[in-house]
């Protein structure tokens, strides 16, 4: 009886494990897609790039992806007689409806406001700048928003782990356990899923998002420096000034979180020749700072108005143009 019981248990376990393996090979969990390389079902418009890790396959592909927002600008190189362009790049604090780009479009009547309305990963965002400049966009000034939240994905997945599949998908090379477990994880969908769900598959398992307000550790700092160096080269080649806007976060303004992030990035960006706007004082000195944010921690109408006012004041102080807004 014990022998038959053992045989039955082993057979049942083998059946369950085999079934699980076959199922996960056929239908991998969606959260694993970005780490499956050529086996990933993801598709996209990208190709690898030595500067940004990723860029668009072609200008036509980029144009098709962003047709709605490009349509209003026609031929980018044809700006004769038109108002100067301010181009905004950033996360949802810039791109979402009612946020900075929309507020600038409504209130700054002497400039055309350009933005793509998409919240892309930081490397993609910066690659867009180079692509647009190379294909005729010549704004009077570029504004690039940067906040701690923008570095979360890059902190977990350094540039060295960025991969673009033959189907154009942006994926990441997973970190595997030490040998011989690496071979097992690499060849078993069941073990791979278990390993990935520990979180140890991320390219930099030492990255701590909770200290990002205080400091930017390596290799993240080097990656950020590398990415913005690419933007600096492109902007200088096209003679376009770039202002990086370090928007303070909800926790910094209301709960006194460190501004080490802004201090570090200001030093890095100034060394690369960027103009930097750090409006922390205007937010910190506001009599009712809670009114500057909405429940999801984005800026409220009042917060966006304050940010735009700081941006306009900054441009007036640094722009020699007589018609600076």
């Amino acid at each position: 009886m014990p022998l038959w019981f053992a045989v039955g248990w082993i057979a049942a376990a083998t059946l369950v494990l085999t079934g699980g393996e076959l199922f996960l090979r056929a239908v991998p969990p969606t959260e694993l897609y970005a780490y499956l390389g050529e086996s990933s079902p993801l598709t996209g418009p990208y190709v690898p790039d030595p500067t940004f890790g990723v860029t668009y396959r072609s200008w036509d592909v980029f144009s098709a992806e962003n047709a709605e927002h490009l349509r209003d600008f026609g031929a980018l190189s044809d700006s004769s007689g038109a108002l100067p362009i301010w181009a905004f790049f950033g996360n949802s604090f810039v791109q979402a409806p009612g946020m900075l780009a929309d507020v600038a479009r409504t209130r700054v009547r002497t400039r055309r406001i350009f933005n793509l309305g998409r919240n892309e990963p930081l490397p993609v965002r910066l690659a867009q700048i180079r692509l647009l400049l190379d294909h005729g966009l010549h704004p009077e000034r570029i504004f690039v928003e940067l906040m701690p939240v923008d570095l979360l994905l890059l902190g977990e997945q350094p540039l060295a782990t960025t991969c673009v599949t033959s189907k154009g998908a942006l994926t990441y090379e997973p970190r595997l356990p030490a040998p011989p477990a690496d071979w097992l994880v690499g060849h078993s969908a069941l073990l791979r899923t278990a390993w990935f769900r520990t979180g140890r598959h991320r390219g930099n398992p030492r990255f701590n998002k909770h200290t990002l307000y205080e400091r930017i550790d390596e290799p993240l700092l080097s990656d950020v420096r590398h990415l913005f160096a690419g933007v600096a080269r492109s902007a200088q080649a096209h003679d376009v000034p770039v202002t990086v806007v370090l928007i303070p976060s909800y926790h910094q303004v209301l709960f006194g979180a460190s501004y080490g992030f802004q201090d570090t990035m200001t030093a890095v960006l100034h060394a690369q020749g960027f103009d930097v706007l750090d409006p922390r004082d205007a937010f910190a000195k506001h009599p009712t700072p809670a009114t500057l944010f909405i429940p999801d921690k984005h800026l409220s109408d009042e917060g966006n108005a304050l940010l735009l006012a700081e941006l306009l004041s900054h441009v007036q102080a640094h722009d020699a143009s007589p018609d600076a807004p």
Side-chain angles (χ1 to χ4, degrees), residues 157-293:
Q157 294 299 154
L159 280 178
T161 70
T162 298
C163 301
V164 179
T165 70
S166 60
K167 293 180 286 189
L170 176 58
T171 63
Y172 304 98
E173 182 180 348
R175 176 181 172 272
L176 298 178
D182 60 336
W183 187 91
L184 295 172
V185 168
H187 290 78
S188 167
L190 196 62
L191 293 177
R192 182 169 58 241
T193 302
W195 170 250
F196 284 12
R197 285 181 171 170
T198 68
R200 301 292 294 172
H201 67 289
R202 296 188 178 94
N204 180 13
R206 296 183 301 278
F207 173 68
N208 184 356
K209 65 181 181 181
H210 301 295
T211 63
L212 197 51
Y213 286 130
E214 304 164 18
R215 63 184 186 274
I216 307 174
D217 295 324
E218 295 291 355
L220 178 57
L221 183 58
S222 291
D223 279 350
V224 173
R225 189 181 284 114
H226 175 83
L227 289 171
F228 276 91
V231 176
R233 288 192 297 271
S234 186
Q236 289 162 9
H238 293 277
D239 193 27
V240 176
V242 178
T243 297
V244 180
V245 184
L246 302 175
I247 301 177
S249 74
Y250 174 87
H251 292 95
Q252 289 174 320
V253 175
L254 270 70
F255 296 102
S258 171
Y259 281 93
F261 174 89
Q262 282 86 346
D263 294 336
T264 299
M265 285 310 309
T266 296
V268 168
L269 294 165
H270 278 164
Q272 294 178 323
F274 289 101
D275 174 45
V276 179
L277 168 59
D278 180 357
R280 72 175 81 172
D281 289 344
F283 280 77
K285 294 176 181 177
H286 193 276
T288 56
T291 63
L292 301 176
F293 297 88

Side-chain angles (χ1 to χ4, degrees), residues 50-112:
T51 300
F52 301 109
V54 58
T55 191
Y56 289 82
R57 188 181 302 117
S58 68
W59 172 251
D60 289 341
V61 169
F62 171 79
S63 299
E65 288 271 311
N66 296 278
E68 180 181 354
H69 285 78
L70 290 174
R71 189 180 303 118
D72 293 338
F73 286 81
L76 295 178
S77 58
D78 180 16
S79 57
S80 56
L83 293 173
I85 295 172
W86 279 3
F88 286 79
F89 297 86
N91 65 23
S92 56
F93 278 74
V94 168
Q95 305 291 353
M99 295 294 148
L100 181 60
D102 274 359
V103 173
R105 186 174 290 109
T106 300
R107 303 190 182 194
V108 182
R109 299 293 188 177
T110 59
R111 298 294 184 273
R112 288 191 294 164

Side-chain angles (χ1 to χ4, degrees), residues 13-45:
T14 301
L15 183 63
V16 170
L17 292 174
T18 301
E21 178 71 21
L22 293 174
F23 177 79
L24 289 173
R25 283 179 182 270
V27 189
T30 55
E31 66 266 26
L32 271 60
Y33 285 0
Y35 299 95
L36 297 179
E38 288 298 326
S39 299
S40 174
L42 296 175
T43 61

Side-chain angles (χ1 to χ4, degrees), residues 86-90 94-95 100-101 104 113-116 142-143 311:
W86 279 3
F88 286 79
F89 297 86
V94 168
Q95 305 291 353
L100 181 60
I113 305 302
F114 176 91
N115 73 301
L116 294 172
I142 289 173
F143 298 92
L311 185 150

